[in-house]
Amino acid sequence: MSRPVYMDNNATTPLHPQVRETLVEALDIFGNPSSLHGLGRTARQRVEEARQEVAAFLGASPDEIIFMGSGSEANNTVLSIVTCPSGACSLAADGANEIVTSTIEHPCILESVKCLEERGLTVRYVNVDSDGKIDLDEYKSVVSERTSLVSVMLANNEIGTIQDVRMLAGIAHEYGAQFHTDAVQAVGTVPVDVRELDVDFLTVSAHKMYGPKGVGALMVRKGVPFCPLIRGGHQEKGRRAGTENTLGISGFGKAAEMRALEMKAEEPRLREMRERLRDGIRDRIPDVRIVGHPTDCLPNTLNVTFDGAEGESILLYLDLAGIAVSTGSACASGSLEPSHVLLATGLPMECAHGSIRISLGRENTMDDVTYVLDTLPGVIERIRAMSTTYQRRAA
Ligand SMILES: *Cc1c(COP(=O)(O)O)cnc(C)c1O
């Protein structure tokens, strides 16, 4: 019997019921937060309360939080600083004009640095090992006095591997470089503290932590050079123009408040479900590989590769059974490209095609896990039965 099971929480999360309540109530707060009258002040108060919640959740101070339209916007903003036209806020001081990043970043980082490369900046890409961990020797060899900015994600969205950001940031700081981390996938799943991580910039997104879509934030440490991407009004202390998304920001604040209350208790439960899934899949299905670091990994993320089965076929069969997961590959304009993250871990091209990402969330139960474990073996068997190359290899 089919039942709806959502296990694609790294793509987006369902609204927390209390966030939903906050959003419904905030629909009627229509004042412009910049207006001085009562309606404006009510809206302003909402925005500032949310800023306090988000800041507290990250261990930052409220004036270090800039609300933005998405995690993608926050990442684009950070990378745009290195080409800021005003010398005063440019990070590219004294010939330091190199950017260091990793090969497994989110597309909004990789596409942005590609654009900087086209504009003449030097970008150094650090490789990862088979578990998705930054190659430390290589990192140490590319970070130098010429480095202006390092951007390395905290947790990877496809395989869940968590980087030792504190150490990486320390090395960058030794050379006077600024350090940014895309923490979108980590914040709300594992504890994140900007002081502990010692980062200069940190990106978050509300819809990955049971908040609404279309709202994110960039943490900019006090005293760090900054340059806005979106210019205009004085909103966000001149750091991001445009009338504040009062509704989205209210929901974001509530989401942060709820995560602060619930996240810790949830972690062991997520971990247990993930382990049950991983062991169950290994026991029931031959020729599988699990990609991701065995210990330094998000408790909710499981990336599995099945030899001789296309990820897209697995996804569609599971969807028929009511189960929502995603593939490790991004579907670009009809052509199915294998995931750059899986390829970076050294997984062969043909295997990278056979991967699915299962990402758990607060609404999942052990019954969901059992249902997936009951469904998946039959799906893989059917797909493999149609694969001539798999049959030949098995014979
Ligand atoms: C989802 C995601 C983003 C983009 O956030 P949006 O708010 O959807 O633009 C950036 N980085 C990572 C790691 C993500 O998982």
PDB file of all heavy atoms in Angstrom, residues 10-11 69-73 75 106 108 153 155-157 182-185 203-208 214-216 357, ligand 1:
ATOM      1  N   ASN A  10      16.805  17.992   2.163  1.00  0.00           N
ATOM      2  CA  ASN A  10      17.923  18.860   1.780  1.00  0.00           C
ATOM      3  C   ASN A  10      17.561  19.742   0.592  1.00  0.00           C
ATOM      4  O   ASN A  10      18.241  20.729   0.321  1.00  0.00           O
ATOM      5  CB  ASN A  10      19.180  18.046   1.467  1.00  0.00           C
ATOM      6  CG  ASN A  10      19.821  17.475   2.720  1.00  0.00           C
ATOM      7  OD1 ASN A  10      19.227  17.523   3.797  1.00  0.00           O
ATOM      8  ND2 ASN A  10      21.017  16.934   2.590  1.00  0.00           N
ATOM      9  N   ALA A  11      16.486  19.379  -0.115  1.00  0.00           N
ATOM     10  CA  ALA A  11      16.005  20.236  -1.208  1.00  0.00           C
ATOM     11  C   ALA A  11      15.173  21.367  -0.626  1.00  0.00           C
ATOM     12  O   ALA A  11      15.325  22.530  -0.995  1.00  0.00           O
ATOM     13  CB  ALA A  11      15.174  19.427  -2.203  1.00  0.00           C
ATOM     14  N   GLY A  69      17.269  37.748   0.014  1.00  0.00           N
ATOM     15  CA  GLY A  69      16.198  37.032  -0.682  1.00  0.00           C
ATOM     16  C   GLY A  69      16.377  35.528  -0.766  1.00  0.00           C
ATOM     17  O   GLY A  69      15.445  34.807  -1.119  1.00  0.00           O
ATOM     18  N   SER A  70      17.553  35.028  -0.443  1.00  0.00           N
ATOM     19  CA  SER A  70      17.796  33.576  -0.505  1.00  0.00           C
ATOM     20  C   SER A  70      19.224  33.287  -0.054  1.00  0.00           C
ATOM     21  O   SER A  70      20.043  34.206   0.076  1.00  0.00           O
ATOM     22  CB  SER A  70      17.622  33.050  -1.933  1.00  0.00           C
ATOM     23  OG  SER A  70      18.562  33.664  -2.798  1.00  0.00           O
ATOM     24  N   GLY A  71      19.502  32.013   0.123  1.00  0.00           N
ATOM     25  CA  GLY A  71      20.880  31.599   0.368  1.00  0.00           C
ATOM     26  C   GLY A  71      21.742  31.894  -0.846  1.00  0.00           C
ATOM     27  O   GLY A  71      22.895  32.315  -0.720  1.00  0.00           O
ATOM     28  N   SER A  72      21.169  31.718  -2.029  1.00  0.00           N
ATOM     29  CA  SER A  72      21.915  31.993  -3.262  1.00  0.00           C
ATOM     30  C   SER A  72      22.332  33.460  -3.323  1.00  0.00           C
ATOM     31  O   SER A  72      23.460  33.777  -3.717  1.00  0.00           O
ATOM     32  CB  SER A  72      21.055  31.658  -4.486  1.00  0.00           C
ATOM     33  OG  SER A  72      20.740  30.292  -4.508  1.00  0.00           O
ATOM     34  N   GLU A  73      21.431  34.350  -2.931  1.00  0.00           N
ATOM     35  CA  GLU A  73      21.780  35.774  -2.951  1.00  0.00           C
ATOM     36  C   GLU A  73      22.911  36.078  -1.964  1.00  0.00           C
ATOM     37  O   GLU A  73      23.841  36.834  -2.278  1.00  0.00           O
ATOM     38  CB  GLU A  73      20.552  36.648  -2.619  1.00  0.00           C
ATOM     39  CG  GLU A  73      20.872  38.135  -2.767  1.00  0.00           C
ATOM     40  CD  GLU A  73      19.817  39.062  -2.166  1.00  0.00           C
ATOM     41  OE1 GLU A  73      18.617  38.744  -2.246  1.00  0.00           O
ATOM     42  OE2 GLU A  73      20.212  40.103  -1.612  1.00  0.00           O
ATOM     43  N   ASN A  75      25.265  34.071  -0.951  1.00  0.00           N
ATOM     44  CA  ASN A  75      26.529  33.554  -1.506  1.00  0.00           C
ATOM     45  C   ASN A  75      27.041  34.456  -2.626  1.00  0.00           C
ATOM     46  O   ASN A  75      28.237  34.750  -2.701  1.00  0.00           O
ATOM     47  CB  ASN A  75      26.334  32.127  -2.020  1.00  0.00           C
ATOM     48  CG  ASN A  75      26.302  31.107  -0.891  1.00  0.00           C
ATOM     49  OD1 ASN A  75      26.650  31.403   0.254  1.00  0.00           O
ATOM     50  ND2 ASN A  75      25.867  29.898  -1.202  1.00  0.00           N
ATOM     51  N   HIS A 106      28.051  24.387  -3.699  1.00  0.00           N
ATOM     52  CA  HIS A 106      26.733  24.540  -4.338  1.00  0.00           C
ATOM     53  C   HIS A 106      26.923  25.331  -5.642  1.00  0.00           C
ATOM     54  O   HIS A 106      27.791  26.204  -5.713  1.00  0.00           O
ATOM     55  CB  HIS A 106      25.818  25.297  -3.373  1.00  0.00           C
ATOM     56  CG  HIS A 106      24.383  25.309  -3.775  1.00  0.00           C
ATOM     57  ND1 HIS A 106      23.854  26.281  -4.599  1.00  0.00           N
ATOM     58  CD2 HIS A 106      23.356  24.473  -3.472  1.00  0.00           C
ATOM     59  CE1 HIS A 106      22.566  26.040  -4.775  1.00  0.00           C
ATOM     60  NE2 HIS A 106      22.234  24.952  -4.113  1.00  0.00           N
ATOM     61  N   CYS A 108      25.555  27.871  -6.773  1.00  0.00           N
ATOM     62  CA  CYS A 108      25.531  29.339  -6.667  1.00  0.00           C
ATOM     63  C   CYS A 108      26.899  29.892  -6.263  1.00  0.00           C
ATOM     64  O   CYS A 108      27.197  31.063  -6.496  1.00  0.00           O
ATOM     65  CB  CYS A 108      24.405  29.845  -5.764  1.00  0.00           C
ATOM     66  SG  CYS A 108      24.483  29.350  -4.059  1.00  0.00           S
ATOM     67  N   MET A 153      32.072  25.335   1.975  1.00  0.00           N
ATOM     68  CA  MET A 153      30.797  25.052   2.633  1.00  0.00           C
ATOM     69  C   MET A 153      30.989  24.264   3.929  1.00  0.00           C
ATOM     70  O   MET A 153      31.941  23.496   4.064  1.00  0.00           O
ATOM     71  CB  MET A 153      29.855  24.317   1.691  1.00  0.00           C
ATOM     72  CG  MET A 153      30.243  22.880   1.401  1.00  0.00           C
ATOM     73  SD  MET A 153      29.561  22.228  -0.160  1.00  0.00           S
ATOM     74  CE  MET A 153      27.891  22.793  -0.161  1.00  0.00           C
ATOM     75  N   ALA A 155      28.520  22.072   5.430  1.00  0.00           N
ATOM     76  CA  ALA A 155      28.047  20.703   5.182  1.00  0.00           C
ATOM     77  C   ALA A 155      27.574  20.613   3.741  1.00  0.00           C
ATOM     78  O   ALA A 155      26.880  21.510   3.258  1.00  0.00           O
ATOM     79  CB  ALA A 155      26.911  20.345   6.124  1.00  0.00           C
ATOM     80  N   ASN A 156      27.949  19.529   3.086  1.00  0.00           N
ATOM     81  CA  ASN A 156      27.562  19.376   1.685  1.00  0.00           C
ATOM     82  C   ASN A 156      26.114  18.897   1.567  1.00  0.00           C
ATOM     83  O   ASN A 156      25.686  17.977   2.262  1.00  0.00           O
ATOM     84  CB  ASN A 156      28.505  18.407   0.969  1.00  0.00           C
ATOM     85  CG  ASN A 156      28.176  18.291  -0.496  1.00  0.00           C
ATOM     86  OD1 ASN A 156      27.395  17.443  -0.896  1.00  0.00           O
ATOM     87  ND2 ASN A 156      28.731  19.183  -1.296  1.00  0.00           N
ATOM     88  N   ASN A 157      25.374  19.491   0.635  1.00  0.00           N
ATOM     89  CA  ASN A 157      23.958  19.184   0.470  1.00  0.00           C
ATOM     90  C   ASN A 157      23.698  17.816  -0.155  1.00  0.00           C
ATOM     91  O   ASN A 157      22.652  17.230   0.053  1.00  0.00           O
ATOM     92  CB  ASN A 157      23.281  20.281  -0.349  1.00  0.00           C
ATOM     93  CG  ASN A 157      24.084  20.704  -1.558  1.00  0.00           C
ATOM     94  OD1 ASN A 157      25.257  21.075  -1.442  1.00  0.00           O
ATOM     95  ND2 ASN A 157      23.479  20.631  -2.725  1.00  0.00           N
ATOM     96  N   ASP A 182      29.317  28.562   3.403  1.00  0.00           N
ATOM     97  CA  ASP A 182      27.918  28.343   3.046  1.00  0.00           C
ATOM     98  C   ASP A 182      27.408  27.295   4.032  1.00  0.00           C
ATOM     99  O   ASP A 182      27.725  26.112   3.903  1.00  0.00           O
ATOM    100  CB  ASP A 182      27.849  27.849   1.594  1.00  0.00           C
ATOM    101  CG  ASP A 182      26.448  27.397   1.187  1.00  0.00           C
ATOM    102  OD1 ASP A 182      25.554  27.369   2.050  1.00  0.00           O
ATOM    103  OD2 ASP A 182      26.268  27.067   0.001  1.00  0.00           O
ATOM    104  N   ALA A 183      26.645  27.759   5.015  1.00  0.00           N
ATOM    105  CA  ALA A 183      26.185  26.859   6.077  1.00  0.00           C
ATOM    106  C   ALA A 183      24.713  26.506   5.914  1.00  0.00           C
ATOM    107  O   ALA A 183      24.064  26.041   6.856  1.00  0.00           O
ATOM    108  CB  ALA A 183      26.434  27.500   7.443  1.00  0.00           C
ATOM    109  N   VAL A 184      24.182  26.710   4.702  1.00  0.00           N
ATOM    110  CA  VAL A 184      22.742  26.516   4.470  1.00  0.00           C
ATOM    111  C   VAL A 184      22.274  25.128   4.913  1.00  0.00           C
ATOM    112  O   VAL A 184      21.236  24.988   5.548  1.00  0.00           O
ATOM    113  CB  VAL A 184      22.396  26.742   2.977  1.00  0.00           C
ATOM    114  CG1 VAL A 184      20.979  26.285   2.669  1.00  0.00           C
ATOM    115  CG2 VAL A 184      22.569  28.211   2.605  1.00  0.00           C
ATOM    116  N   GLN A 185      23.080  24.115   4.588  1.00  0.00           N
ATOM    117  CA  GLN A 185      22.620  22.752   4.865  1.00  0.00           C
ATOM    118  C   GLN A 185      22.886  22.326   6.299  1.00  0.00           C
ATOM    119  O   GLN A 185      22.241  21.420   6.803  1.00  0.00           O
ATOM    120  CB  GLN A 185      23.294  21.799   3.877  1.00  0.00           C
ATOM    121  CG  GLN A 185      22.486  20.586   3.528  1.00  0.00           C
ATOM    122  CD  GLN A 185      21.133  20.905   2.943  1.00  0.00           C
ATOM    123  OE1 GLN A 185      20.120  20.648   3.583  1.00  0.00           O
ATOM    124  NE2 GLN A 185      21.090  21.471   1.760  1.00  0.00           N
ATOM    125  N   THR A 203      26.458  31.937   5.414  1.00  0.00           N
ATOM    126  CA  THR A 203      25.177  31.984   4.699  1.00  0.00           C
ATOM    127  C   THR A 203      24.167  31.004   5.290  1.00  0.00           C
ATOM    128  O   THR A 203      24.513  29.849   5.563  1.00  0.00           O
ATOM    129  CB  THR A 203      25.411  31.622   3.214  1.00  0.00           C
ATOM    130  OG1 THR A 203      26.262  32.607   2.633  1.00  0.00           O
ATOM    131  CG2 THR A 203      24.112  31.560   2.441  1.00  0.00           C
ATOM    132  N   VAL A 204      22.919  31.474   5.451  1.00  0.00           N
ATOM    133  CA  VAL A 204      21.809  30.600   5.872  1.00  0.00           C
ATOM    134  C   VAL A 204      20.590  30.829   4.981  1.00  0.00           C
ATOM    135  O   VAL A 204      20.462  31.880   4.351  1.00  0.00           O
ATOM    136  CB  VAL A 204      21.353  30.828   7.336  1.00  0.00           C
ATOM    137  CG1 VAL A 204      22.152  30.020   8.297  1.00  0.00           C
ATOM    138  CG2 VAL A 204      21.358  32.284   7.721  1.00  0.00           C
ATOM    139  N   SER A 205      19.706  29.848   4.962  1.00  0.00           N
ATOM    140  CA  SER A 205      18.471  29.966   4.181  1.00  0.00           C
ATOM    141  C   SER A 205      17.309  29.404   4.986  1.00  0.00           C
ATOM    142  O   SER A 205      17.408  28.312   5.558  1.00  0.00           O
ATOM    143  CB  SER A 205      18.614  29.197   2.864  1.00  0.00           C
ATOM    144  OG  SER A 205      17.416  29.267   2.135  1.00  0.00           O
ATOM    145  N   ALA A 206      16.187  30.152   5.037  1.00  0.00           N
ATOM    146  CA  ALA A 206      15.065  29.772   5.908  1.00  0.00           C
ATOM    147  C   ALA A 206      14.387  28.471   5.477  1.00  0.00           C
ATOM    148  O   ALA A 206      13.994  27.663   6.318  1.00  0.00           O
ATOM    149  CB  ALA A 206      14.032  30.911   5.952  1.00  0.00           C
ATOM    150  N   HIS A 207      14.278  28.254   4.153  1.00  0.00           N
ATOM    151  CA  HIS A 207      13.466  27.098   3.718  1.00  0.00           C
ATOM    152  C   HIS A 207      14.160  25.754   3.907  1.00  0.00           C
ATOM    153  O   HIS A 207      13.561  24.702   3.692  1.00  0.00           O
ATOM    154  CB  HIS A 207      12.978  27.274   2.274  1.00  0.00           C
ATOM    155  CG  HIS A 207      13.986  27.013   1.202  1.00  0.00           C
ATOM    156  ND1 HIS A 207      14.060  25.803   0.561  1.00  0.00           N
ATOM    157  CD2 HIS A 207      14.947  27.789   0.653  1.00  0.00           C
ATOM    158  CE1 HIS A 207      15.028  25.854  -0.346  1.00  0.00           C
ATOM    159  NE2 HIS A 207      15.585  27.051  -0.308  1.00  0.00           N
ATOM    160  N   LYS A 208      15.430  25.784   4.329  1.00  0.00           N
ATOM    161  CA  LYS A 208      16.116  24.532   4.641  1.00  0.00           C
ATOM    162  C   LYS A 208      15.996  24.210   6.133  1.00  0.00           C
ATOM    163  O   LYS A 208      16.579  23.244   6.607  1.00  0.00           O
ATOM    164  CB  LYS A 208      17.585  24.621   4.233  1.00  0.00           C
ATOM    165  CG  LYS A 208      17.835  24.934   2.754  1.00  0.00           C
ATOM    166  CD  LYS A 208      17.677  23.727   1.858  1.00  0.00           C
ATOM    167  CE  LYS A 208      17.820  24.036   0.385  1.00  0.00           C
ATOM    168  NZ  LYS A 208      19.183  24.199  -0.066  1.00  0.00           N
ATOM    169  N   GLY A 214      12.449  31.862  -0.171  1.00  0.00           N
ATOM    170  CA  GLY A 214      12.669  33.240  -0.612  1.00  0.00           C
ATOM    171  C   GLY A 214      13.148  34.174   0.485  1.00  0.00           C
ATOM    172  O   GLY A 214      12.950  35.380   0.405  1.00  0.00           O
ATOM    173  N   VAL A 215      13.777  33.631   1.498  1.00  0.00           N
ATOM    174  CA  VAL A 215      14.389  34.494   2.515  1.00  0.00           C
ATOM    175  C   VAL A 215      15.607  33.773   3.098  1.00  0.00           C
ATOM    176  O   VAL A 215      15.584  32.573   3.353  1.00  0.00           O
ATOM    177  CB  VAL A 215      13.372  34.943   3.615  1.00  0.00           C
ATOM    178  CG1 VAL A 215      12.762  33.755   4.336  1.00  0.00           C
ATOM    179  CG2 VAL A 215      14.015  35.902   4.616  1.00  0.00           C
ATOM    180  N   GLY A 216      16.679  34.523   3.202  1.00  0.00           N
ATOM    181  CA  GLY A 216      17.925  33.972   3.747  1.00  0.00           C
ATOM    182  C   GLY A 216      18.631  35.067   4.510  1.00  0.00           C
ATOM    183  O   GLY A 216      18.086  36.161   4.698  1.00  0.00           O
ATOM    184  N   ARG A 357      19.783  10.532  -3.218  1.00  0.00           N
ATOM    185  CA  ARG A 357      20.027  11.177  -1.933  1.00  0.00           C
ATOM    186  C   ARG A 357      18.756  11.076  -1.107  1.00  0.00           C
ATOM    187  O   ARG A 357      17.693  11.524  -1.549  1.00  0.00           O
ATOM    188  CB  ARG A 357      20.384  12.641  -2.138  1.00  0.00           C
ATOM    189  CG  ARG A 357      20.542  13.394  -0.813  1.00  0.00           C
ATOM    190  CD  ARG A 357      20.728  14.874  -1.026  1.00  0.00           C
ATOM    191  NE  ARG A 357      19.502  15.514  -1.497  1.00  0.00           N
ATOM    192  CZ  ARG A 357      19.428  16.788  -1.864  1.00  0.00           C
ATOM    193  NH1 ARG A 357      20.514  17.536  -1.854  1.00  0.00           N
ATOM    194  NH2 ARG A 357      18.288  17.314  -2.269  1.00  0.00           N
TER     195      ARG A 357
HETATM  196  C1  LIG B   1      19.754  25.192  -0.844  1.00  0.00           C
HETATM  197  C2  LIG B   1      21.175  25.590  -0.790  1.00  0.00           C
HETATM  198  C3  LIG B   1      21.581  26.875  -1.206  1.00  0.00           C
HETATM  199  C4  LIG B   1      20.652  27.861  -1.834  1.00  0.00           C
HETATM  200  O1  LIG B   1      19.724  28.418  -0.940  1.00  0.00           O
HETATM  201  P1  LIG B   1      18.412  29.115  -1.561  1.00  0.00           P
HETATM  202  O2  LIG B   1      17.808  29.845  -0.415  1.00  0.00           O
HETATM  203  O3  LIG B   1      17.551  27.992  -2.062  1.00  0.00           O
HETATM  204  O4  LIG B   1      18.873  30.007  -2.655  1.00  0.00           O
HETATM  205  C5  LIG B   1      22.913  27.193  -1.079  1.00  0.00           C
HETATM  206  N1  LIG B   1      23.802  26.331  -0.579  1.00  0.00           N
HETATM  207  C6  LIG B   1      23.454  25.104  -0.155  1.00  0.00           C
HETATM  208  C7  LIG B   1      24.479  24.203   0.434  1.00  0.00           C
HETATM  209  C8  LIG B   1      22.131  24.687  -0.264  1.00  0.00           C
HETATM  210  O5  LIG B   1      21.798  23.455   0.142  1.00  0.00           O
END
